[in-house]
Amino acid sequence: MTSLKTELLIDPLIVRKNIIYLKSKIVKSSKFMAIIKSDAYGHILPNIVKDIDDIVDGYGVVRLEEAIELRKISKKKILLMQGVYSQDDFIESVKYSLDLVVHNQHQFNIIRENNFYENLWFKINTGMNRLGFEINDFLDIYNNHLSDKNFTLMSHLSASNDKNSPSNNEQFKSFEDLSKRLSSNVSKSIANTGCVINFPEYSFDWVRVGIGIFGGYIGNEEMQTAMTLRSPIVNIRTIKKGERVGYDGRAVAESDMKIATVYMGYADGLPHSLKDGTKLKINNEDVLIFGKVSMDVTTIDITNVKDCKIGDWCEFFSPESSINNLTSFNKLISYDLMIRIKSRVKRTYKAL
Ligand SMILES: *Cc1c(COP(=O)(O)O)cnc(C)c1O
């Protein structure tokens, strides 16, 4: 018998469909940047790039190493969203024709010393208060150094997934007020996935879309989860009313029950905090987590499942059952779950 292994399947066809859907939402003239930081949100960066290169206009990553790896396989625009913090990194970035984000005076000093003004994206703070120039500081730099240069003005929204959050309009206003004071040649970019879905009129020149292409955006059923996480049943037992399951006896049987154990735990990247009652699928039927997630295994209530046996798959999420069902119920986010699945889980990347 072959050993029973937890698997992560990645389906690039779903990623392509999600991209095509998202592209249908944006203003026709805006370009589509696929954000593929953190190993393409856990979807294997080089494989994804090979499979979407014909339908995107560029890529965004955070680490220089990722950008260099990416340059070897794509000729499209590559935005290094972290920017550079040293002369050495600046030289590498130019060598690999990367676009650079400039967040602050420290980074701008490197640019100025090199007198190199091509392919720069200036990030401004419109309310996230994390990265980017304050508006007035940027205007000083603009007036002294940039008024005759081409560049992209960018910012990032803090609550784009919440259409009703007042912060969105405040951020749009501050972004547009600033851009009115700059040359009309300046390109603009503010939209992530949530903005494309909720405020597509703010697509501007570039959209920067990450979670949506992998199907982890909440509140839109058109985009499907591109990953399937599944683990085989390795044990089935019955327990009596009043018996407890797993560490600290968190789950108490209210009647006689049937319990399946699957070989996937927090050492595989499953969050330890998953609650009893979290819905999973076995043979297309709903089943519920019952007992704390252990390091190597998770226990599941299969009392109502008509027919299942050792070796059958328990699906945590898949294109048919969104990752958001699991994360929302547990107050987690899909971004975090996608990137936390560990290397001991067998990864299979489907052929397109
Ligand atoms: C991660 C990131 C994005 C993509 O955001 P999603 O919500 O995943 O679409 C866009 N812009 C920047 C600067 C980012 O860091």
Side-chain angles (χ1 to χ4, degrees), residues 113-126:
E113 280 155 23
N114 289 280
N115 196 25
F116 187 89
Y117 288 93
E118 281 163 50
N119 303 323
L120 298 179
W121 296 53
F122 284 87
K123 188 163 188 177
I124 55 154
N125 178 26
T126 53

Side-chain angles (χ1 to χ4, degrees), residues 332-347:
L332 300 170
I333 58 172
S334 60
Y335 300 73
D336 189 15
L337 186 52
M338 283 177 182
I339 58 138
R340 74 163 54 231
I341 306 305
K342 296 287 195 323
S343 59
R344 83 172 194 182
V345 172
K346 184 179 168 216
R347 245 163 238 251

Side-chain angles (χ1 to χ4, degrees), residues 2-70:
T2 52
S3 65
L4 299 175
K5 284 205 181 96
T6 296
E7 289 186 353
L8 185 70
L9 312 176
I10 297 163
D11 188 347
L13 189 60
I14 305 261
V15 176
R16 283 181 72 89
K17 284 186 186 158
N18 291 339
I19 290 175
I20 289 162
Y21 171 76
L22 285 154
K23 282 175 77 173
S24 77
K25 296 274 144 196
I26 62 180
V27 176
K28 276 232 160 47
S29 56
S30 42
K31 294 196 171 122
F32 192 94
M33 178 174 282
I35 303 300
I36 51 171
K37 57 198 179 189
S38 192
D39 199 23
Y41 291 47
H43 293 68
I44 311 181
L45 183 145
N47 298 19
I48 289 288
V49 168
K50 181 171 66 57
D51 285 342
I52 66 173
D53 205 51
D54 60 323
I55 54 170
V56 304
D57 300 299
Y59 301 98
V61 290
V62 170
R63 299 272 178 251
L64 181 57
E65 300 72 36
E66 274 184 319
I68 292 172
E69 183 193 2
L70 181 49

Side-chain angles (χ1 to χ4, degrees), residues 35 37 41 62 81 123 130 154-156 160 191-194 208-212 335:
I35 303 300
K37 57 198 179 189
Y41 291 47
V62 170
M81 297 196 294
K123 188 163 188 177
R130 198 178 57 162
M154 74 183 277
S155 194
H156 194 60
S160 62
N192 64 341
T193 303
R208 312 185 308 266
V209 179
I211 197 71
Y335 300 73

